[in-house]
């Protein structure tokens, strides 16, 4: 016989007269089943003996449902809507009236259920935090012979019980680590207590109590204590003061630390490619965030169709728990065809090919061609699979021909560098050669450059298609040597660019979006850097109301690219219909321009309204914008479909 376990800290002593752990009333089904049996049996016989002609069988006619027989008892409940629905679902009197349709109820049986109803009502109301209700049951005879009897239930619920105090204490490995002043353990316990949803002053309800315990336990397991459980929980109810004190002891179990990574499903790719994406060493506490980040990196690598990362929660292996990775690889070759249209460049078709293991090496090659009315382009890149630190080497090139109302620009680019991708941050270091040729009706400008660049992006948003909360930041810096005017002008230049976009929920399902971007080329006046490095404004993602790349310095009546850029936008949006949450309406104001320098900067305004639709085939954006400088309205739209 085992010795009794000492009482957990913070729990009430045994023998306390206060109510602990309110529970739902056991169901009284005996009387209902006795009455329902003959009814169900009779219904079964009727089904067996039904005449096909009466149901329309063989004639093509739909059978008509027989009307329900009258209920022998009507129960009226006078209570708030939520409590009324609770009693209608669980009160035996109500259930009996539904089950026993077409049958009479014996007077003694009805009297027994009426006598038992107040106690059952009180027990049901306790689950919603009402521990001292007044219940009155009134039986009303049938007004006429053959009519159902009526029973009225009147309630005075009294004040709802509210949480007065919450005590959460650890036990097991977490308690030992907290006593040892381990910072990770202390932070885990603090977070567990601070995130407990049933704070002092909140109503005490059994469903909320159960949900809070389940959520807290899931949080503790996600923090690395994979086998955590409740060593004890109690709700000490003071019905007189309508208050509840909550006591919980968390039996943490051991802290699981990472051991060997076991990989299943590899056919083409190397195991090391998977290990490079882990991002943690042996012995690291295995939290849910650590596993999900590992899984996200594998998914975003573009090599796998399905990814699952899980922990072996065998307690005996807690000090070196295996991490199980199950994969399904994407095809070695993949060809994608797409069509789309936008107000910026008109209709377009795209063809993209991905080769995920180039000549047997751990490298991926991508080639994408686009053909449209105003834009024709090719973009290609070959990059190694992510290595230690999530870095990959890359080399690629771009050729683009872009035609506007005033000029035709041909740009060519070669790039080589190193990139790092993580769920929130992307870094890119590269050297680049640019060449551009710009033709207008009266002139042609050529420029070349060799430069080094660094790009950094950070994002923390809730949805990549229709974000409603979060931030995105993009920063770019670079510099090098350029030459223009047929090689007659040479010199050094620098380039800086930044873009910040914020998303924020506001009120009444309204959501706000604000954007600001700025760019600057640093070079002497006579030197022009290639077009691909300079700036223009206007278009769907810039200043709406103006055509794509039509805002910039004007020379001889022709718009060109500038060395300075500043644009901003404020937008309010919300779902239009509750039944179609994917369809949004929006209003917006944009401002900005591109100029030779900020001394010559003159912003223009655009404003309007639009629609956002997350369609099954891809996102659609439609805006009607008024350009104050041009005094005309322009439609901006974009949609893409991938096959």
């Amino acid at each position: 016989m085992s010795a009794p376990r000492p009482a957990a800290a913070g729990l009430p002593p045994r023998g306390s007269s206060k109510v602990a752990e309110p529970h739902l009333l056991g169901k009284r089904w005996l009387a209902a089943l006795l009455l329902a049996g003959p009814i169900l049996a009779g219904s079964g016989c009727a089904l067996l003996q039904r005449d096909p002609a009466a149901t329309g069988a063989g004639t093509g006619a739909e059978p008509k449902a027989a009307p329900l027989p009258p209920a022998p008892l009507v129960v009226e409940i006078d209570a708030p809507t939520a409590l009324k629905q609770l009693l209608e679902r669980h009160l035996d009197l109500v259930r009996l009236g539904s089950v026993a349709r077409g049958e009479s109820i014996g007077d003694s049986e009805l009297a027994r259920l009426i006598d038992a109803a107040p106690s059952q009502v009180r027990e049901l109301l306790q689950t919603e935090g009402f521990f001292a209700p007044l219940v009155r049951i009134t039986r009303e005879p049938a007004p006429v012979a053959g009519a159902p009897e009526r029973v009225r239930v009147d309630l005075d619920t009294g004040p709802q019980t509210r949480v007065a105090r919450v005590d959460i204490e650890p036990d097991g490995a977490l308690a030992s680590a907290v006593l040892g002043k381990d910072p990770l353990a202390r932070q885990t316990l603090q977070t567990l207590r601070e995130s407990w949803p049933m704070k002092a002053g909140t109503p005490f309800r059994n469903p909320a109590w159960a949900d809070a315990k389940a959520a807290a336990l899931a949080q503790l397991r996600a923090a690395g204590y994979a086998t955590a459980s409740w060593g004890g929980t109690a709700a000490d109810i003071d019905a007189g003061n309508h208050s509840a004190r909550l006591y919980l002891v968390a039996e943490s179990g051991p802290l699981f630390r990472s051991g060997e990574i076991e990989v299943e499903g590899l056919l083409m790719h190397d195991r090391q490619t998977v290990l490079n994406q882990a991002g943690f060493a042996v012995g690291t506490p295995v939290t849910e965030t650590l596993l999900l980040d590992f899984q996200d990196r594998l998914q975003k690598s573009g090599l796998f169709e399905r990814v699952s990362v899980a922990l072996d929660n065998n307690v005996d292996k807690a000090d070196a728990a295996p991490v199980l990775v199950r994969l399904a690889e994407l095809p070695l070759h993949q060809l994608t065809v797409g069509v789309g249209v936008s107000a910026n460049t008109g209709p377009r078709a795209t063809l993209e090919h991905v080769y995920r293991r180039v000549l047997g090496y751990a490298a991926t090659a991508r080639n994408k061609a686009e053909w449209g009315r105003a834009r024709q382009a090719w973009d290609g890149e070959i990059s190694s699979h992510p290595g230690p630190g999530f870095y990959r080497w890359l080399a690629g090139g771009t050729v683009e021909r872009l035609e506007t109302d005033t000029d035709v620009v041909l740009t060519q680019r070669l790039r080589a560098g190193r990139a790092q991708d993580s769920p929130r941050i992307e870094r890119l270091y590269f050297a680049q050669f640019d060449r551009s040729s710009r033709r207008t009706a009266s002139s042609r400008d050529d420029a070349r450059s060799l430069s080094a660049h660094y790009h950094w992006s950070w994002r923390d948003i809730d949805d990549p298609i229709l974000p409603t909360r979060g931030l995105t930041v993009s920063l770019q810096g670079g510099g090098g040597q350029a030459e223009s005017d047929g090689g007659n002008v040479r010199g050094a230049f620098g380039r800086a660019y930044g873009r910040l976009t914020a998303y924020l929920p506001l009120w009444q399902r309204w959501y706000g979006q604000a954007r600001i971007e700025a760019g600057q080329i640093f070079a002497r006046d006579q030197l022009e850097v290639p077009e691909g490095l300079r700036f223009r404004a206007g278009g769907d993602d810039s200043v709406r109301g103006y055509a794509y790349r039509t805002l910039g310095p004007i020379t001889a009546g022709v718009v060109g690219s500038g060395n300075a850029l500043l644009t901003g936008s404020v937008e309010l949006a919300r779902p239009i219909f509750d039944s179609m949450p994917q369809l949004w309406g929006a209003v917006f104001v944009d401002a900005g321009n591109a100029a030779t320098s900020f001394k010559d900067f003159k912003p223009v305004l655009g404003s309007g309204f639009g629609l956002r639709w997350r369609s099954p085939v891809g996102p659609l954006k439609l805006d009607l914008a008024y350009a104050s400088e041009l005094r005309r309205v322009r439609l901006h739209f974009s949609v893409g479909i991938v096959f």
Side-chain angles (χ1 to χ4, degrees):
M1 183 173 180
S2 61
R5 182 177 180 177
L11 291 177
R14 295 186 179 181
S16 172
S17 60
K18 297 179 181 179
V19 181
E21 286 286 3
H23 58 278
L24 288 172
L25 179 67
K27 300 180 177 65
R28 301 183 179 94
W29 286 95
L30 180 58
L33 290 174
L34 290 174
L35 289 170
I39 300 171
L40 296 175
S43 300
C45 294
L47 288 171
L48 292 174
Q49 297 172 3
R50 184 172 297 168
D51 184 0
T55 64
T59 66
E62 290 291 334
K64 295 183 178 180
L68 291 173
L73 177 68
V74 175
V75 180
E76 298 178 352
I77 300 175
D78 182 14
T81 302
L83 298 181
K84 181 178 180 181
Q85 293 174 350
L86 174 70
L87 298 178
E88 287 177 343
R89 286 195 304 268
H90 299 289
L91 194 60
D92 287 348
L93 272 172
V94 178
R95 300 171 72 92
L96 181 63
S98 176
V99 171
R101 287 184 176 273
E103 299 290 330
S104 60
I105 302 176
D107 188 72
S108 61
E109 177 60 22
L110 181 57
R112 186 188 69 78
L113 291 176
I114 290 175
D115 291 341
S119 175
Q120 187 182 12
V121 169
R122 292 188 186 96
E123 292 179 355
L124 288 169
L125 293 183
Q126 284 181 9
T127 67
E128 295 297 316
F130 299 97
F131 287 87
L134 297 178
V135 184
R136 185 171 68 255
I137 308 293
T138 306
R139 180 178 179 182
E140 301 175 356
V144 295
E149 290 197 63
R150 294 181 176 272
V151 174
R152 182 175 178 83
V153 180
D154 293 291
L155 300 180
D156 180 1
T157 62
Q160 189 175 25
T161 296
R162 295 185 176 272
V163 176
R165 178 175 171 178
V166 181
D167 292 310
I168 303 177
E169 298 296 334
D171 199 5
L174 178 60
S176 300
V178 170
L179 290 175
K181 297 185 179 181
D182 178 87
L184 179 61
R186 297 177 74 173
Q187 180 61 46
T188 298
L189 180 59
Q190 180 181 348
T191 303
L192 186 68
R193 288 169 171 169
E194 291 177 350
S195 61
W196 176 258
M198 297 182 71
K199 308 290 187 184
T202 59
F204 177 85
R205 300 175 55 251
N206 256 20
W209 172 229
D211 290 345
K213 290 188 289 185
L217 196 60
Q219 179 181 340
L220 190 56
R221 291 172 177 172
Y225 298 90
T227 58
S229 61
W230 291 118
T233 64
D236 186 6
I237 306 299
D238 186 342
N241 292 324
H242 310 292
S243 65
R245 293 185 62 181
L246 309 181
Y247 305 88
L248 305 99
V249 176
E251 176 62 57
S252 68
L255 176 63
F256 281 73
R257 297 182 180 274
S258 62
E260 182 183 2
I261 297 177
E262 300 178 2
V263 184
E264 298 178 4
L266 288 179
L267 297 174
M268 296 181 296
H269 301 300
D270 302 328
R271 182 173 182 272
Q272 189 60 44
T273 298
V274 176
L275 301 184
N276 289 338
Q277 294 286 64
F280 55 85
V282 173
T284 304
V286 183
T287 64
E288 183 179 48
T289 300
L290 180 137
L291 296 177
L292 289 177
D293 285 348
F294 184 14
Q295 181 171 292
D296 286 344
R297 285 190 290 270
L298 289 171
Q299 195 73 60
K300 292 178 180 179
S301 68
L303 302 175
F304 308 107
E305 182 177 12
R306 293 188 305 276
V307 179
S308 171
V309 178
L311 174 71
D312 183 347
N313 61 359
N314 186 337
V315 175
D316 297 334
K317 302 178 181 178
D319 290 336
V323 176
L324 311 177
V325 180
R326 295 181 175 86
L327 307 164
E329 295 176 335
L330 283 166
L332 181 63
H333 294 273
Q334 182 174 338
L335 187 65
T336 304
V337 179
V339 296
V341 61
S342 73
N344 283 348
T345 57
R348 64 183 182 273
T350 60
L351 181 67
E352 182 175 8
H353 176 257
V354 180
Y355 183 13
R356 294 189 170 88
R357 192 167 181 84
V358 180
L359 302 176
Y361 290 95
T364 298
R366 293 180 175 85
N367 284 278
K368 181 178 181 180
E370 177 180 325
W371 189 270
R373 181 190 64 197
R375 181 178 186 267
Q376 301 86 44
W378 166 83
D379 179 62
E381 180 183 279
I382 181 169
S383 65
S384 63
H385 294 167
F390 317 132
Y391 281 99
R392 57 187 177 88
W393 295 98
L394 60 89
T398 301
V399 178
E400 178 190 57
R401 180 184 181 274
L402 183 62
E403 182 177 350
T404 66
D405 294 338
T406 58
D407 62 4
V408 177
V409 177
L410 175 65
T411 59
Q412 299 162 314
R413 174 177 295 166
L414 293 175
R415 172 185 294 181
R418 198 180 187 205
Q420 182 192 45
D421 301 324
S422 65
R424 291 191 178 184
I425 296 177
E426 295 179 1
R427 296 180 176 91
L428 176 61
Y429 316 79
F430 60 96
Q432 181 169 286
F433 171 76
D434 287 271
R435 180 181 179 183
S436 69
S437 175
R438 175 174 176 259
R439 290 187 293 108
T440 66
S442 58
S443 66
R444 173 172 175 168
D445 299 317
D446 296 321
R448 291 174 296 278
S449 71
L450 182 63
S451 55
H453 298 263
Y454 173 65
H455 292 183
W456 182 87
S457 299
W458 179 84
R459 59 183 175 274
D460 182 14
I461 53 178
D462 57 351
D463 189 313
I465 298 177
L466 278 179
T468 61
R469 181 189 297 274
L471 288 170
T472 65
V473 180
S474 177
L475 300 175
Q476 302 176 8
Q481 287 287 123
E483 64 176 31
S484 59
D485 193 20
N488 294 326
V489 181
R490 295 184 177 89
F493 75 94
R495 183 181 188 272
Y497 172 84
R499 181 184 179 105
L500 170 67
T501 307
Y503 305 90
L504 182 67
L506 299 175
W507 69 95
Q508 299 290 326
R509 299 184 68 195
W510 280 95
Y511 299 90
Q513 174 183 334
R515 183 200 76 234
I516 185 169
E517 68 171 345
Q520 173 77 63
I521 298 291
F522 304 94
R524 60 191 178 101
D525 292 341
Q526 295 84 1
L527 180 66
E528 292 189 2
V529 301
E531 286 283 323
L533 297 173
R534 302 174 73 195
F535 306 106
R536 292 196 196 186
D540 298 352
D541 202 30
S542 181
V543 183
R544 285 163 285 190
Y546 304 85
Y548 182 53
R549 289 173 57 86
T550 58
L551 293 178
I554 299 176
T555 304
V558 178
V559 176
S561 298
N563 291 339
L565 171 74
L566 180 62
T567 71
S569 174
V570 176
E571 179 171 302
L572 295 176
R574 62 159 296 164
I576 299 176
F577 306 108
D578 291 340
S579 58
M580 294 183 64
Q582 69 274 21
L583 180 63
W584 288 28
V587 293
F588 58 86
V589 176
D590 298 342
N593 209 334
T596 303
S597 67
F598 281 112
K599 293 180 181 179
D600 304 321
F601 179 76
K602 294 180 180 180
V604 298
L605 293 177
S607 59
F609 57 90
L611 294 175
R612 313 284 180 266
W613 183 31
R614 184 164 37 188
S615 75
V617 297
L620 179 144
K621 185 177 179 181
L622 183 68
D623 290 320
L624 191 64
Y626 174 75
S628 59
E629 187 77 6
L630 304 176
R631 297 188 178 182
R632 67 177 63 169
V633 173
R634 184 175 184 86
L635 181 66
H636 295 266
F637 60 92
S638 63
V639 64
I641 304 174
V642 176
F643 302 94

